[in-house]
Amino acid sequence: MAPPSSTKPDFPWWLAVAAVLALAGALFIATSDLYAQVFATVAKGIGITVFVTVVAFALASIIGLGIALMGLSGSRLMRQTARFYVEIIRGVPILVLLFWIAFAGAPAFVAAWNALTAPLQNAGLFGELLVRDVSLLWRAIMALTIGYSAFISEVFRAGIQAVEKGQIEAAKALGLSRAQRFRLIVFPQAIRTILPPLGNDFVALVKDSSLVSVLGVADITQMGKVYAAGSFRFFETYSITAYIYLILTVGLSLALRALERRLRRQHEE
């Protein structure tokens, strides 16, 4: 009879190699005037990248949770509306959605806003809203929000449905309202199922935030494009750009895995 396999996790050699390469890259950048200049220029876009990612993910999570609850409601109309939203939005590429929101959705929103507030504008309480008043940064954020809300809603829906129905029935028997059951019973258990795929979506959004550069938003990718176009240092610039994105995404992935392990240990205790 073969001995049982060891449950001891493998040593993360991949992480050790990645850490050595990251350190070597940092030392090379620090000792090279050219790469240090490229890094200083591209790194100016980190703040915008982080801002776009965090705001879009927070808004997408709120909308996604609402869509997931609609999809699990007792109303057929709400369920079908949620399914329509998810299937349509997931079927459109993020880049196409970005262009549509920026150049079609924003003007339509401005026209609708001006039509609804026309009496207030005539009374002098509001000024007319112009398309240029809606910044390209916020158009990009709204596009990413809408695009990712459809994916995140499916994550929430799967996590909520993974909670045992017996516990929900027991909560009903104790007289808890629907909101109390969700807040006290369902969501605390669902979050353990939701967290890993939700973290994956967050990391994916960090990378997809680079798409906002097509609108001229000064994120990491856009700063790299501008520098490369002016200096013709394409290899150096995009190597640094990839390096920065790798630091962000790998670091986030490790942090999310640590949080997941901590939650698992707390549940086992």
Side-chain angles (χ1 to χ4, degrees):
M1 181 176 179
S5 60
S6 175
T7 59
K8 184 179 180 179
D10 294 335
F11 181 81
W13 289 107
W14 72 270
L15 181 58
V17 173
V20 170
L21 292 176
L23 181 59
L27 292 174
F28 184 76
I29 292 170
T31 56
S32 171
D33 291 338
L34 173 60
Y35 278 89
Q37 181 181 8
V38 176
F39 181 85
T41 301
V42 176
K44 293 178 182 178
I46 292 178
I48 293 295
T49 294
V50 172
F51 178 78
V52 168
T53 302
V54 171
V55 174
F57 186 78
L59 294 175
S61 297
I62 294 171
I63 296 174
L65 179 58
I67 296 297
L69 295 177
M70 286 177 59
L72 297 172
S73 71
S75 169
R76 179 181 298 178
L77 176 60
M78 294 184 71
R79 291 198 306 271
Q80 292 299 318
T81 301
R83 180 48 51 189
F84 176 83
Y85 178 90
V86 170
E87 296 300 336
I88 294 300
I89 297 300
R90 288 198 307 177
V92 180
I94 296 293
L95 183 59
V96 175
L97 187 62
L98 191 71
F99 282 131
W100 193 91
I101 293 295
F103 302 117
F109 169 79
V110 170
W113 175 264
N114 288 331
L116 291 173
T117 61
L120 298 176
Q121 292 179 21
N122 294 333
L125 299 177
F126 280 109
E128 182 182 5
L129 182 65
L130 302 177
V131 175
R132 65 172 177 265
D133 294 330
V134 184
S135 69
L136 290 173
L137 173 64
W138 282 101
R139 298 186 205 187
I141 288 174
M142 290 311 302
L144 292 174
T145 296
I146 293 172
Y148 268 81
S149 64
F151 294 98
I152 290 176
S153 70
E154 290 295 275
V155 173
F156 278 117
R157 180 187 61 79
I160 292 171
Q161 288 182 322
V163 178
E164 294 182 6
K165 293 184 178 179
Q167 299 190 39
I168 300 175
E169 295 299 327
K172 286 182 181 179
L174 292 174
L176 297 180
S177 66
R178 187 181 183 90
Q180 289 175 325
R181 293 196 300 270
F182 179 78
R183 181 170 57 89
L184 300 175
I185 305 298
V186 176
F187 193 74
Q189 297 184 67
I191 192 64
R192 290 192 294 271
T193 304
I194 291 170
L195 186 60
L198 201 62
N200 291 337
D201 282 340
F202 184 69
V203 173
L205 183 54
V206 173
K207 294 184 292 183
D208 280 347
S209 68
S210 63
L211 295 174
V212 305
S213 63
V214 301
L215 300 181
V217 177
D219 70 326
I220 295 171
T221 303
Q222 177 64 11
M223 298 303 295
K225 287 168 59 179
V226 171
Y227 186 88
S231 65
F232 297 99
R233 295 285 186 176
F234 294 99
F235 176 80
E236 294 86 349
T237 301
Y238 289 115
S239 295
I240 292 294
T241 302
Y243 177 81
I244 293 175
Y245 274 114
L246 281 171
I247 295 296
L248 291 175
T249 55
V250 174
L252 281 171
S253 297
L254 294 174
L256 289 168
R257 289 179 187 177
L259 178 59
E260 181 184 347
R261 288 194 298 269
R262 181 178 178 181
L263 290 176
R264 188 184 301 115
R265 286 196 300 267
Q266 290 178 350
H267 176 63
E268 292 173 353
E269 293 174 357

